[in-house]
Amino acid sequence: VTCAEWVAASGLVVSASADKTAMLFDVAAGATKPLRTLLGHDAPLTSVSAAHTGAIILTASKDCTARLWDIRASTTHGAQHVFQGHSNTVGVAVLAPDGGCAITGSDDATVKVWDLRAPR
């Protein structure tokens, strides 16, 4: 596990790992096994962020992408959206409190702001 974050008002925790996965755990119920595993990155994860609404997760990876996940969706394979544009590891990904945008920072020395209302 490279990082973890509480998923607001849900009793869930999401973790990001070097095994290329993000996992959701129901810590309120004392679960030690993941409820869901989110698959899609091609390299280890470096960062995870959860929206204040509790429905959206943003992950970052050494595969030079960030991925947006809707944890209400029935699938665990494939993100809702893949943000591409960095040329090196995306080391941090943060969702804005209002859920309208995301910020990613990369080892390519850039910071990008992504509009989540009209992802490109």
Side-chain angles (χ1 to χ4, degrees):
V1 173
T2 54
C3 61
E5 184 168 322
W6 291 101
V7 179
S10 68
L12 300 177
V13 166
V14 61
S15 68
S17 298
D19 69 358
K20 308 177 195 174
T21 66
M23 295 183 186
L24 289 164
F25 295 89
D26 187 351
V27 294
T32 57
K33 293 187 179 186
L35 291 174
R36 290 181 67 187
T37 300
L38 305 175
L39 306 167
H41 280 286
D42 296 324
L45 275 60
T46 56
S47 180
V48 65
S49 181
H52 288 257
T53 63
I56 303 296
I57 303 294
L58 182 67
T59 55
S61 172
K62 291 183 177 185
D63 66 7
C64 306
T65 69
R67 293 175 189 251
L68 190 68
W69 310 85
D70 185 338
I71 62 173
R72 299 167 296 187
S74 60
T75 182
T76 58
H77 285 79
Q80 178 182 351
H81 190 77
V82 179
F83 297 98
Q84 298 176 331
H86 288 292
S87 61
N88 207 329
T89 296
V90 180
V92 64
V94 180
L95 288 164
D98 69 358
C101 69
I103 297 170
T104 57
S106 171
D107 287 353
D108 65 11
T110 64
V111 172
K112 295 188 181 292
V113 178
W114 307 92
D115 183 353
L116 300 183
R117 293 180 183 98
R120 296 179 237 136

